[in-house]
Amino acid sequence: MHVVALPHVHMTSTGYWFLPRNDGIFRSKGGCMRSYIHHDWIFQRSIMVRQLGPFHWSLLSIVVYAANMGALFGVSLYTLVPNDYSRSVAPRFFIDLYGIDASDPDVGYLHITFKRPDANGELQWYGPTLFALTIAGIRIINNIMGLTIALGYLLISVSRTLQSGWKTKHLQRQLYKVLLIQTAVPFVFSYIPLTIMLFLPLTGIDLGSFGTVLVMVTTVFPAVDGLIVVMMFPLFRCAVFRRFRLA
């Protein structure tokens, strides 16, 4: 669904164009909700906040998720919806390249305007967009911090099990390897492409339609996340292979 329904992304030095593909724009945020639950579970298991129960942490996950998505949709409505300016500067070659006339008032898309001409015709940074990018940057930083804290907690947990029995240590090492890979995968396939998209305007480089490739790279993360768990645990892997009658 992600690969088929993600929009075209055309990246220029003055703004990004998110053009619909297959008559719509679709992006699942289920991974974000799961990420919040994972991080909250880590905090719940820590010594500092054990007085909070599972219900409170579940409620906190929902509140944080709602606030996060509310901020995202809020800045999108504030800065990204089509307006008279975006339609007036819409490139005509979009018609030949994507089959979309972005100047048509009946065509929907999202437009991130980094720079706009002032009264003298010189390009200046556009304040509302900088605010929106700040919100987006905070979201990425929060996810990175959450992953770092989770990884640190896992390191402490592994060190505490060194005196345990062989089976416990063996299982803990397997779990640690899985979670370490699951931490690295979103960095490579999600945070790095998104960081490039966020900070590329500072360089003035025009990547054009290559932006679609960066967005499609982010779809690798949810595709392989579950496979990592299946392939890394021998008993789980054997059970799945046996269930589907694989060698």
Side-chain angles (χ1 to χ4, degrees):
M1 284 296 297
H2 280 79
V3 174
V4 172
L6 278 176
H8 298 289
V9 181
H10 195 91
M11 303 171 64
T12 69
S13 58
T14 59
Y16 294 169
W17 301 78
F18 293 79
L19 306 172
R21 181 172 53 176
N22 299 325
D23 297 329
I25 297 178
F26 172 84
R27 187 69 170 95
S28 171
K29 287 298 177 183
C32 289
M33 183 61 178
R34 181 182 56 189
S35 177
Y36 284 125
I37 293 176
H38 282 180
H39 297 162
D40 290 341
W41 182 82
I42 293 295
F43 290 123
Q44 178 188 350
R45 298 292 296 177
S46 65
I47 298 176
M48 295 179 293
V49 289
R50 283 184 177 175
Q51 65 271 21
L52 297 181
F55 171 79
H56 298 90
W57 282 107
S58 300
L59 181 62
L60 179 61
S61 297
I62 296 174
V63 171
V64 172
Y65 177 75
N68 186 289
M69 294 306 300
L72 178 63
F73 283 113
V75 297
S76 297
L77 291 173
Y78 180 55
T79 62
L80 307 185
V81 295
N83 50 46
D84 294 338
Y85 172 80
S86 63
R87 298 194 187 281
S88 65
V89 299
R92 299 300 299 173
F93 63 81
F94 281 175
I95 300 176
D96 297 328
L97 188 60
Y98 303 113
I100 296 175
D101 183 4
S103 62
D104 187 346
D106 294 329
V107 174
Y109 55 86
L110 298 179
H111 180 224
I112 302 179
T113 305
F114 295 119
K115 294 182 179 180
R116 289 190 179 187
D118 58 12
N120 299 324
E122 298 182 358
L123 292 176
Q124 301 292 337
W125 289 99
Y126 186 55
T129 298
L130 296 180
F131 172 75
L133 292 181
T134 301
I135 298 297
I138 291 175
R139 295 179 69 246
I140 293 179
I141 292 174
N142 285 340
N143 285 338
I144 293 177
M145 290 179 60
L147 289 172
T148 303
I149 293 173
L151 184 59
Y153 178 77
L154 289 172
L155 287 172
I156 296 175
S157 298
V158 171
S159 64
R160 289 178 176 176
T161 58
L162 292 179
Q163 305 300 324
S164 304
W166 178 85
K167 290 184 178 180
T168 302
K169 290 191 293 185
H170 182 66
L171 181 61
Q172 189 73 13
R173 288 193 185 99
Q174 287 183 344
L175 179 62
Y176 176 72
K177 290 179 181 179
V178 171
L179 295 179
L180 185 63
I181 295 176
Q182 284 188 310
T183 302
V185 167
F187 268 97
V188 176
F189 295 107
S190 183
Y191 297 133
I192 291 179
L194 292 176
T195 300
I196 293 175
M197 295 182 67
L198 279 175
F199 293 100
L200 191 68
L202 300 177
T203 66
I205 299 176
D206 188 344
L207 288 184
S209 58
F210 184 75
T212 304
V213 177
L214 289 176
V215 173
M216 293 185 70
V217 168
T218 62
T219 65
V220 177
F221 166 46
V224 303
D225 191 44
L227 294 177
I228 293 173
V229 179
V230 174
M231 299 305 297
M232 291 296 294
F233 283 105
L235 292 177
F236 196 4
R237 181 174 65 248
C238 292
V240 172
F241 283 6
R242 188 181 305 111
R243 176 66 179 84
F244 292 97
R245 303 183 183 278
L246 300 174

